[in-house]
Amino acid sequence: MTLPTYPVISLAIALFFATGASYQPPYAPAGRQIAADTLYHKLTEAQKRSPAHALAGIDVADGVQAVLFAAEPMLINPTAIDIDHKGRVWVCEAYNYRPAITGKPANPKGDRIVILEDTDGDGKADKQKIFYQDPELNAPIGIWVMGNKAVVSQSPYVWLLTDEDGDDIADKKEVIFSGIEGEQHDHGIHSFVFGPDGKFYCAIGNEGKQLKDKNGQPLKDKNGKAIDFSNYRQGLLIRCDEDFSNVEVLGHNFRNNYEAAVDSYGNIWQSDNDDDGNRGVRINFVMEHGNYGYTDELTGAGWRANRTNLEDSIPFRHWHLNDPGVVPNLLQTGAGSPTGMIFYEGDLLPKAFQNQIIHCDAGPNVVRAYPIRRQGAGFTATTLNLLKGERDQWFRPSDICTAPDGSVFVSDWYDPGVGGHQMGDMEKGRIYRLAPDGSRYTLPAVDLESSAGAVAALSNPNLSIRYLAWKTLQRHPVEAAALLKKQAANPAILPVARARSIWALSKMLPLSDPYWIPFLTDPNPNLRITLIRAFRQLPGDISPLLARMAADSSPQVRREIALSLYGRKTPAATAAWVKLAQAYEGDDRWYLEALGIGAEGNWDALFEAWAATDGLEETAARDIIWRARTPLSVPGLARLAGDPTVPLPERLRYFRAFDFNPGGKEKSEALLKLMKGDPSGQLAEIALRHLDPGFVKTTPVAMAEVQKVLDAAYGTTAYMELVQRFEPAGENQRLLEMALQKPYDGLGRTAAQQLLRQEGLPLIQSVINGKDIDKSSAVLASLSRSGSTVVLDLLQSVALDTGYPLPLRRDAIRSMAGSMPGEDRLLEYLRNSKLEGELKATAIQSMGNAWRKAVRAEANSYIDAAAATAVQKHPPVSELTARTGDSSKGKTVFVNYCSACHQVNGEGADFGPKLSEIGDKLPKEAQYLALYYPSAGISFGYEGYEVKFKDGATVVGIISSKTETDLILKFPGGGVQEYKMSAIASMKQLDESLMTPGLHEAMTTAELVDLVEYLSGLKKL
């Protein structure tokens, strides 16, 4: 099959687009950029979407030419690609992605894996084969090609597909892993990639939840722990042998770490997506066994849950970066939808992109590098664009791979939207080849049969070639070792090639071989690091070697030595750790966290040995005390937390560290002593947040301190948090007062809920039956989130009793409508004509925003025909996108219609996704679709949940945080409510969005166009 040809619309445009590329500022002169914009906007909508003009809306970095390698109908909806040793591009397609949402029927034949080939070297595919198609293949999102085999990732499975007869068609399918949750969900299992150590690496997003073997049995890691949420938090990075055995968890507590990229020294890089709208997309350098902080390490609480020593902005708060035990981020890139990633070790692209991460981010329509610079034991990075959909926001790069000649291929999902389980286009998709101008796609000669050829092939930038070379070398270890020794020791060879040789040799030579001795002091720290990493994968005790190298001059090398101490409890390991700790100078979080990882499970012995040799008063020592997980560090923590010479904000980190310290009685007594010894009273409230409730309730002195703080903090969030923590029955009257003072916000409703938990219903009843109608109304409003049988019976007694004033009866109906059981009761009243006049109207109106469509529909059916409002009709979306609205008016529309659930630059309610950079993520047509069909694109983390309680109550909201003991729900309008998990009977995820249905119908067409114009202008500055 060959690509179709397309007519050009004019000679000027044809000449402009014939170059195959436009250029990315700041490289391009401003005039050229203006010209590109002008020409692009002259195209019709159909022309903009045509493969003939696929590159018209994309800017390309200087020195790089982008060529359209393939497009529809040769392929559609590419989710992932890989390039084999023959230079062919393998593509996972996803036509059958969420047919219930897209509205188009699924292909009964299933999705496909196609092989695309350029047979004449012009950089364009001219041959296509279908490697595999099956109804069970259903929107796969990962592929790794190794000769005649392909590893395909599609939750809940990982399959191994094999072509056994050489016809490029899979003949055999085997299940490798199973049980991974998140079918048709991009937070599940992702692509496997080949590492320089001969192992496979794979990221599993936080919807995956578990990993099982091919028979459905739970898989355990090297430490004997099941690989699931009971032992690890959220997303995982795993590594396994080539036969998929010996699975290791290398890092955890990611949100949606999409794909790993492993360079030749064994550095592991990956991206991670934030909760949508929080500008927290990050790039990680993965330190083995590290915790990456998406949720609270101890409790699993979400980042929105209050905690001591909060970070100063949401993008950093999002990852718990101030908590001890969280590995720092390499870089945060703002809003986005990060996808495929490589570490480019070729030499065909310009120098700026060589030996760098190159990454696809489909949200802001960009493929970019992150030039890395070493800093202490860690790194810093900046951004450098390679491709940018500056004009065409349908450009959605989904994956990137390096070809055997060093060129780079990028797949383009090509769609108006991205993420949220939706797609606006089912029939398009592109792949681009990036190389210097005029570079033909020529496969370099590679010998993968001989040992000499395989050693040479290790220098190729393509992973499939390196994998096959690795296989050949491991089959002939004696002959290969001699060749690899020469290459590894040759300083004239590129360091990356030497590193790959070290990895291969480490599987052939024992640790005791004297060949390794010179590498311990090699001038290149990256090679010393490679050797350490290679050795720690091998059986045997390397503690003496680590102790010998612990004085290395490079903090990067010392970081790796610290990580290598994980799980080692020998005297030599203790000596190495103490030496590393003594070398810590402060202000290097990477080094500190490496020390913490190396000490895991052995903190008592290591801390004691270090404290005996080091001055605990030194500045650097404060960080080690803060990071330590041993009761032995409690006195130091207490001293630092209570130091009156240091401003209190700087001491909050030490109070937070108490939460992670395993000291029990020692910790509680130290905190209590801090409270009693502080005449200012500043420390009491803070210390109580970290005291064990069981200790406090059984210690009269501690309870007396609690009461002092409650008296001082009454009426605040701090007061409510302490009441919920310690549940003092003597606070019921004040809880009632708070419910009356703030009945319409989260604080007052939380007070009402807590009052009910503390058997305060009689107090509420007394207010309702009192003479102060304002107080009666307020207490009814504070109960609107409670749908328990007891509360609904109380509300019903008011609503249906003619002895109560009419306004109070209306208030009772509104409160009933705040819960699902309450809605059901109101519908029953309407069916049985128990409500008339104003009460009937109040019930119907109150259920107008019910989540359940059936409730809204039935409630509306009781509206008199004469009162029915005509539905506002709008022109087709294609016509609306062509209109230009007034952004300033659109902002007013946003405030009026949307700000109750969404924030822009901190203004509005924190309920749905933040929209501060939505213009970078969605073009106009996608924004119209999101307004029309909110349930088609629910962002992950913003799904609605129906929560049923043991007392019969039911509420619907978004989970803000969930731990084993507590649940925090958010509600439209930004309200937040905390519940105890012990009171919950069941939780069910809802299929529909909680966004107000039919919102667009409430607007005029002008308002709708103005709103989308405003939203389209919300972009990253």
Side-chain angles (χ1 to χ4, degrees):
M1 183 182 291
T2 58
L3 287 174
T5 58
Y6 297 87
V8 294
I9 59 171
S10 73
L11 179 59
I13 293 178
L15 288 173
F16 174 74
F17 294 142
T19 64
S22 57
Y23 288 86
Q24 162 74 25
Y27 310 123
R32 183 184 299 170
Q33 180 66 38
I34 293 171
D37 292 345
T38 301
L39 289 169
Y40 181 77
H41 290 298
K42 287 183 179 180
L43 297 174
T44 66
E45 191 63 25
Q47 289 165 341
K48 290 176 183 177
R49 307 297 163 225
S50 164
H53 305 297
L55 289 157
I58 302 174
D59 288 344
V60 187
D62 194 21
V64 180
Q65 184 182 41
V67 174
L68 182 65
F69 178 78
E72 67 274 8
M74 184 174 271
L75 79 155
I76 55 172
N77 301 344
T79 58
I81 60 173
D82 199 13
I83 301 177
D84 67 14
H85 64 291
K86 298 178 182 179
R88 303 179 302 177
V89 181
W90 296 53
V91 185
C92 287
E93 295 184 334
Y95 178 85
N96 285 345
Y97 183 61
R98 305 259 173 180
I101 292 177
T102 60
K104 292 190 176 182
N107 183 347
K109 294 182 179 180
D111 279 324
R112 308 184 304 176
I113 296 172
V114 299
I115 305 173
L116 305 177
E117 186 174 3
D118 169 18
T119 62
D120 58 10
D122 65 351
K124 300 177 182 178
D126 48 47
K127 185 178 181 180
Q128 179 216 58
K129 293 182 179 179
I130 300 175
F131 177 73
Y132 186 74
Q133 184 173 25
D134 185 86
E136 196 174 15
L137 195 64
N138 187 2
I141 61 171
I143 185 168
W144 152 234
V145 181
M146 42 187 193
N148 66 327
K149 301 176 184 291
V151 180
V152 175
S153 301
Q154 177 193 299
S155 299
Y157 298 111
V158 175
W159 291 306
L160 179 64
L161 304 177
T162 305
D163 167 20
E164 297 187 305
D165 56 12
D167 63 354
D168 292 326
I169 298 175
D171 307 295
K172 181 181 179 182
K173 181 171 78 170
E174 305 167 74
V175 174
I176 302 300
F177 297 121
S178 68
I180 307 144
E181 298 189 29
E183 185 174 0
Q184 285 222 349
H185 200 305
D186 65 359
H187 287 237
I189 189 94
H190 298 118
S191 290
F192 282 78
V193 297
F194 178 65
D197 52 359
K199 293 178 178 283
F200 296 165
Y201 293 72
C202 181
I204 306 175
N206 67 332
E207 184 68 11
K209 298 182 180 177
Q210 63 187 4
L211 192 65
K212 298 182 178 181
D213 66 16
K214 63 182 179 181
N215 298 316
Q217 296 301 308
L219 269 170
K220 295 183 178 180
D221 64 14
K222 289 175 61 176
N223 299 316
K225 296 192 296 187
I227 303 174
D228 58 29
F229 269 20
S230 68
N231 292 301
Y232 297 99
R233 296 220 178 271
Q234 304 296 317
L236 308 174
L237 180 69
I238 63 170
R239 175 171 66 195
C240 62
D241 290 346
E242 181 195 351
D243 63 357
F244 303 99
S245 64
N246 295 321
V247 180
E248 305 170 75
V249 175
L250 300 182
H252 73 126
N253 215 353
F254 303 100
R255 181 178 180 266
N256 190 23
N257 44 325
Y258 203 87
E259 184 177 33
V262 190
D263 68 25
S264 292
Y265 306 115
N267 294 311
I268 308 167
W269 316 90
Q270 66 177 20
S271 63
D272 194 13
N273 195 6
D274 64 341
D275 290 339
D276 284 354
N278 290 285
R279 301 180 181 180
V281 172
R282 61 177 174 173
I283 308 299
N284 294 122
F285 165 67
V286 179
M287 299 201 303
E288 291 184 27
H289 307 293
N291 159 43
Y292 284 80
Y294 174 50
T295 61
D296 187 296
E297 177 190 350
L298 297 179
T299 67
W303 60 270
R304 293 180 177 89
N306 191 26
R307 58 186 184 271
T308 301
N309 198 35
L310 279 173
E311 297 77 1
D312 60 6
S313 65
I314 286 176
F316 298 102
R317 189 176 306 158
H318 197 286
W319 306 115
H320 289 80
L321 291 177
N322 282 356
D323 282 357
V326 174
V327 178
N329 298 328
L330 168 66
L331 183 70
Q332 294 199 208
T333 59
S337 299
T339 50
M341 175 185 284
I342 60 171
F343 195 91
Y344 181 72
E345 293 179 318
D347 58 8
L348 192 63
L349 292 187
K351 191 77 172 177
F353 297 99
Q354 294 177 20
N355 297 306
Q356 300 296 347
I357 304 165
I358 305 180
H359 178 225
C360 300
D361 195 332
N365 326 98
V366 69
V367 178
R368 57 193 167 203
Y370 304 114
I372 301 164
R373 183 173 61 86
R374 286 183 293 186
Q375 185 177 73
F379 306 88
T380 60
T382 54
T383 61
L384 178 66
N385 287 356
L386 179 58
L387 291 180
K388 180 72 171 76
E390 194 66 36
R391 291 164 295 283
D392 190 355
Q393 288 187 299
W394 281 43
F395 173 58
R396 302 293 183 183
S398 58
D399 206 359
I400 182 169
C401 288
T402 306
D405 69 339
S407 60
V408 166
F409 284 71
V410 173
S411 59
D412 181 3
W413 169 261
Y414 204 72
D415 197 89
V418 61
H421 322 303
Q422 67 172 324
M423 55 194 291
D425 177 274
M426 298 184 67
E427 290 149 2
K428 296 181 179 64
R430 286 88 193 264
I431 294 178
Y432 307 100
R433 176 179 180 262
L434 307 179
D437 293 356
S439 172
R440 291 183 61 78
Y441 189 29
T442 305
L443 188 69
V446 179
D447 171 14
L448 295 172
E449 300 300 323
S450 69
S451 294
V455 170
L458 278 182
S459 296
N460 194 277
N462 173 259
L463 291 182
S464 291
I465 287 178
R466 297 216 299 268
Y467 165 78
L468 294 174
W470 174 280
K471 292 281 290 180
T472 297
L473 294 170
Q474 298 302 320
R475 283 197 301 267
H476 307 287
V478 176
E479 180 183 9
L483 297 169
L484 289 167
K485 282 182 177 181
K486 292 180 181 179
Q487 178 149 300
N490 187 351
I493 300 295
L494 287 174
V496 291
R498 295 180 65 195
R500 294 169 196 161
S501 299
I502 289 172
W503 282 113
L505 270 173
S506 71
K507 310 300 181 182
M508 303 171 185
L509 301 182
L511 297 175
S512 58
D513 196 302
Y515 174 81
W516 298 118
I517 294 176
F519 290 96
L520 302 181
T521 56
D522 191 282
N524 188 332
N526 284 325
L527 296 181
R528 305 200 296 276
I529 288 171
T530 302
L531 189 67
I532 294 167
R533 288 172 172 161
F535 278 10
R536 76 175 178 231
Q537 289 190 12
L538 302 179
D541 183 16
I542 63 169
S543 299
L545 173 67
L546 299 175
R548 177 179 173 181
M549 297 185 69
D552 195 284
S553 61
S554 167
Q556 301 257 320
V557 174
R558 297 200 301 274
R559 175 200 69 222
E560 288 304 312
I561 296 169
L563 295 174
S564 300
L565 294 172
Y566 178 88
R568 304 182 194 275
K569 297 184 179 181
T570 64
T574 298
W577 192 90
V578 169
K579 190 178 295 184
L580 293 169
Q582 289 174 319
Y584 175 67
E585 298 178 352
D587 296 327
D588 190 339
R589 183 68 179 276
W590 305 88
Y591 195 117
L592 182 64
E593 290 303 331
L595 285 174
I597 291 169
E600 188 172 331
N602 195 28
W603 265 109
D604 290 354
L606 295 178
F607 190 89
E608 183 177 25
W610 167 74
T613 62
D614 206 350
L616 296 184
E617 301 296 327
E618 298 296 328
T619 301
R622 296 175 185 174
D623 286 351
I624 296 177
I625 293 170
W626 172 77
R627 178 60 179 85
R629 304 288 176 88
T630 170
L632 297 175
S633 68
V634 167
L637 273 182
R639 173 173 49 82
L640 293 167
D643 186 350
T645 66
V646 178
L648 182 57
E650 296 177 24
R651 289 185 273 149
L652 294 179
R653 68 193 300 255
Y654 302 111
F655 282 100
R656 177 60 170 158
F658 274 108
D659 291 340
F660 298 88
N661 194 292
K665 186 177 180 182
E666 305 99 324
K667 185 168 63 172
S668 294
E669 289 178 345
L671 285 166
L672 183 58
K673 186 176 180 180
L674 277 175
M675 294 169 57
K676 293 173 64 178
D678 175 34
S680 70
Q682 283 184 301
L683 301 185
E685 178 188 326
I686 300 169
L688 283 173
R689 294 176 183 270
H690 308 282
L691 270 170
D692 175 59
F695 172 85
V696 171
K697 291 177 181 179
T698 58
T699 308
V701 174
M703 280 304 298
E705 294 296 328
V706 169
Q707 193 61 54
K708 289 180 185 177
V709 175
L710 289 175
D711 292 343
Y714 175 70
T716 68
T717 300
Y719 168 84
M720 273 311 312
E721 289 176 351
L722 290 173
V723 170
Q724 289 174 319
R725 187 174 181 86
F726 300 111
E727 297 187 331
E731 293 300 310
N732 280 11
Q733 185 61 45
R734 294 206 293 192
L735 287 173
L736 175 63
E737 292 171 3
M738 284 185 63
L740 294 174
Q741 291 166 5
K742 301 179 179 181
Y744 299 104
D745 69 17
L747 196 59
R749 286 170 175 163
T750 300
Q753 293 290 332
Q754 187 64 30
L755 180 57
L756 289 169
R757 281 195 289 269
Q758 296 183 187
E759 301 181 355
L761 184 60
L763 284 176
I764 292 174
Q765 290 174 316
S766 67
V767 174
I768 292 174
N769 295 324
K771 296 181 179 180
D772 190 329
I773 192 169
D774 289 337
K775 287 185 176 180
S776 300
S777 178
V779 80
L780 290 173
S782 73
L783 297 173
S784 66
R785 300 288 188 206
S786 178
S788 70
T789 300
V790 171
V791 170
L792 291 180
D793 287 347
L794 176 64
L795 295 173
Q796 175 179 302
S797 68
V798 176
L800 302 184
D801 188 341
T802 57
Y804 285 102
L806 182 60
L808 202 61
R809 298 173 67 192
R810 287 200 302 261
D811 289 338
I813 288 173
R814 293 191 185 100
S815 288
M816 292 181 73
S819 66
M820 292 177 70
E823 292 170 353
D824 294 336
R825 286 206 187 191
L826 289 176
L827 287 177
E828 189 64 31
Y829 299 162
L830 292 172
R831 294 181 195 124
N832 297 325
S833 302
K834 289 186 177 181
L835 300 175
E836 299 293 339
E838 286 191 37
L839 295 178
K840 179 180 179 181
T842 299
I844 295 170
Q845 182 184 40
S846 298
M847 288 186 285
N849 290 329
W851 171 79
R852 292 177 292 176
K853 286 183 178 180
V855 170
R856 299 195 303 269
E858 183 174 351
N860 288 336
S861 71
Y862 296 103
I863 301 175
D864 295 334
T869 303
V871 176
Q872 172 70 44
K873 301 296 183 181
H874 298 297
V877 170
S878 58
E879 181 180 329
L880 293 174
T881 56
R883 298 188 184 186
T884 300
D886 186 325
S887 180
S888 62
K889 292 181 179 179
K891 183 175 182 179
T892 301
V893 177
F894 174 85
V895 171
N896 292 337
Y897 288 94
C898 311
S899 62
C901 290
H902 297 280
Q903 284 187 348
V904 169
N905 297 324
E907 296 183 5
D910 182 11
F911 177 67
K914 295 178 176 62
L915 304 179
S916 303
E917 297 174 10
I918 191 65
D920 276 327
K921 186 171 182 178
L922 297 180
K924 285 184 176 181
E925 52 267 58
Q927 293 189 35
Y928 282 113
L929 290 175
L931 285 163
Y932 283 17
Y933 309 109
S935 294
I938 305 171
S939 296
F940 188 63
Y942 292 90
E943 301 93 341
Y945 279 81
E946 175 187 282
V947 181
K948 292 185 177 181
F949 296 87
K950 294 175 182 177
D951 64 3
T954 302
V955 298
V956 172
I958 292 173
I959 294 177
S960 178
S961 178
K962 177 178 174 291
T963 69
E964 293 181 359
T965 58
D966 298 282
L967 175 71
I968 301 176
L969 288 181
K970 293 197 304 180
F971 301 98
V976 175
Q977 193 76 46
E978 185 171 346
Y979 305 93
K980 293 295 181 183
M981 290 297 295
S982 59
I984 294 173
S986 66
M987 295 176 60
K988 175 186 175 184
Q989 184 175 327
L990 303 172
D991 295 327
E992 294 188 32
S993 170
L994 296 183
M995 178 174 165
T996 302
L999 184 65
H1000 62 290
E1001 294 178 352
M1003 304 177 196
T1004 66
T1005 297
E1007 286 177 326
L1008 183 62
V1009 172
D1010 290 341
L1011 173 63
V1012 171
E1013 191 72 32
Y1014 168 67
L1015 295 174
S1016 299
L1018 297 175
K1019 299 183 178 183
K1020 185 177 181 180
L1021 299 176

